[in-house]
Amino acid sequence: MAIQKRKKLGDLLKDAGLITEAEIVTVLENKQENQKLGDALVEQDYITEKELLEVLEIQLKLESISLYKYPIDTSLIEMVSKEFARENILLPIKQEGHRLVVAMHDPLDFYAIEDLELSTGFNVKPVIATRDDILQTINHLYDYDESSDGVVEDYTASAVKVLDQILEAGVTMHASDIHLDQSETLVNVRYRVDGTLRNERTLPKSAMNSLVARIKILAGLNITESRLPQDGRISVSIMGKSINLRISTLPTVYGEKIVIRILDLTDVLKKLNDLDFSNSTLKQYEKMIKEPSGLILITGPTGSGKSTTLYGSINELNKADVNIVTIEDPVEYQLEGINQVQVNSAIGLTFAKGLRSILRQDPNIIMVGEIRDRETADISIRASLTGHLVFSTLHTNSAIEAIPRLFDMGIEPYLVVSSLSGIMAQRLVKKVCKDCQYTRPVTEIEKEIFQKRGKEIDELTLGKGCNRCRFNGYRGRMAIHELIVIDDQVKEMMMNHSSIQNIKKHIRNKNIPFLIDDGLDKVKKGLTTIEEVLRVATSD
């Protein structure tokens, strides 16, 4: 066996000067059950996975490899079951005489190495690879065989197995959505990762009918109806995680298209200080949501993280002495201790009707999934004026544009002015990959972008592209925010029907950051890039 000295990972990292004993204790107290120390350190941002691999590589004198496009000897995977490979995050990749080269996420896992040596009869030579790299390769190699053009030729696996494979791959890649798109002869399986769709797998057309039937049965949908759109949900456990799946079917000329939204329950209950707020915005927002009454609006397009912020806010306020009721369409996450109502227009349970009933339930805090019409807006505002704290969302391009949107719905200005506590707009931007980040001096054009907003910057942080980020320089997403507190001056301007530009000018004069300002501050901290900020926020 290649490793003789059984030194613990924590000691290796301390010897390398990356962490302290006190930090290890903190991480161990906060880590998930059965989670390894290395994974917990990376997840809690004490070290990057690159730093972890470099320490193991140097201290243990082991090779670090990338499995992306690595010439793996696929005949070797028969030696190891998929369950063992996934549980221990390892994969045999090459044979060197009587030695079996095995890519391992944890080369200090001596029990797994001994088990492999006993079961295969080979001496194991560990090499190091990232967790996601190994898991994605396991999904790819064990789940299906592909021809050179990526089309599955021999479709013999059952729909149950194929769906499990598709879902496991989605969770491994941290995808937010899975698209099953039918064409005339094929089915493309696409995954949305960090906001970008990518094609990962192709199935034969003959596979789709049984796959659609399997999904519809699990989601409680009508399997005989293929001419009308349907929506449903599934609660499953995938790779030890509790996952909610939201299913949407849509009839197309080539057959039904299915989109599966992956809602990871381990990520939803984030605290407010984990939601990328700047310190000043967080303090203002926390103060606002602790008021006994008022209307708080969160704005942004679909997929901008509004639900995560809403749930984080509600969770912060969820105490035994508070009655919290929500009305949503759909209920994305089921929260302990909160009364959640699902809109059902087919039987007449609309936002407005449900909201009226909620008001008779003696609530302290109400969350309305979205204000879509005048009636819902009117009831929400009146609820906030009668001693309730009301949260809701609107689809607008900026925080301040929520004001004319309410006016356009026919709400009297004095009601809007009296009820509105604050409006927050948010967007999601991709984060620079920590494992391949580097800095370079800014160009004159880039410097000018910052100077126009009264900011200075000398260098930018970018991602070179590596195996962990699939060579695109980004990994994960974060939120940028714009919080407008409705103070007395803003209320007076609203009553006098001041233009949006005048209200914006007033806000800017008070040095309140807009979306672009918060984004550029996060660029300056090396968290994201100018391109990402300008993609979602305009310079007004």
Side-chain angles (χ1 to χ4, degrees), residues 367-386:
M367 186 185 99
V368 182
E370 183 184 346
I371 292 178
R372 297 176 180 172
D373 52 53
R374 176 179 177 174
E375 191 178 11
T376 306
D378 190 59
I379 301 169
S380 299
I381 286 171
R382 292 182 188 277
S384 70
L385 292 173
T386 54

Side-chain angles (χ1 to χ4, degrees), residues 136 173 189-193 196-201 469-470 472:
Q136 289 184 33
M173 289 190 284
V189 183
R190 299 190 294 167
Y191 296 86
R192 190 176 293 281
V193 180
T196 302
L197 269 176
R198 63 192 199 202
N199 204 348
E200 289 285 328
R201 182 172 181 180
C469 65
R470 291 289 166 139
N472 64 30

Side-chain angles (χ1 to χ4, degrees), residues 180-350:
L180 305 181
D181 296 319
Q182 297 200 58
S183 66
E184 190 172 357
T185 57
L186 300 171
V187 178
N188 288 313
V189 183
R190 299 190 294 167
Y191 296 86
R192 190 176 293 281
V193 180
D194 293 338
T196 302
L197 269 176
R198 63 192 199 202
N199 204 348
E200 289 285 328
R201 182 172 181 180
T202 310
L203 301 173
K205 183 83 168 180
S206 58
M208 194 59 173
N209 285 342
S210 55
L211 199 54
V212 169
R214 173 65 180 165
I215 293 170
K216 285 184 175 181
I217 289 169
L218 289 175
L221 303 180
N222 184 351
I223 64 171
T224 64
E225 179 57 75
S226 60
R227 298 166 300 170
L228 292 173
Q230 296 187 69
D231 296 297
R233 63 187 309 136
I234 308 169
S235 295
V236 291
S237 177
I238 301 174
M239 298 168 62
K241 286 186 171 185
S242 296
I243 304 288
N244 273 0
L245 306 174
R246 210 165 76 203
I247 311 298
S248 173
T249 73
L250 183 71
T252 72
V253 292
Y254 291 121
E256 287 182 278
K257 169 184 168 67
I258 291 184
V259 175
I260 303 171
R261 164 82 37 112
I262 301 175
L263 305 168
D264 188 344
L265 298 181
T266 60
D267 291 337
V268 64
L269 293 180
K270 289 185 176 180
K271 296 179 180 177
L272 288 178
N273 56 11
D274 294 328
L275 296 180
D276 311 312
F277 285 107
S278 67
N279 289 334
S280 60
T281 302
L282 179 60
K283 285 179 183 176
Q284 283 184 306
Y285 187 70
E286 285 181 325
K287 181 181 178 183
M288 186 188 300
I289 68 172
K290 286 173 183 173
E291 293 294 327
S293 63
L295 175 62
I296 297 171
L297 295 176
I298 299 178
T299 76
T302 301
S304 58
K306 298 190 299 296
S307 294
T308 301
T309 302
L310 277 177
Y311 282 122
S313 307
I314 293 294
N315 197 47
E316 187 92 1
L317 302 169
N318 188 11
K319 304 288 189 294
D321 60 347
V322 175
N323 180 21
I324 302 176
V325 188
T326 76
I327 179 161
E328 307 169 61
D329 184 22
V331 174
E332 292 189 346
Y333 302 98
Q334 294 170 0
L335 305 179
E336 188 70 31
I338 294 174
N339 307 286
Q340 295 171 272
V341 179
Q342 168 77 54
V343 166
N344 189 341
S345 300
I347 61 171
L349 181 53
T350 61

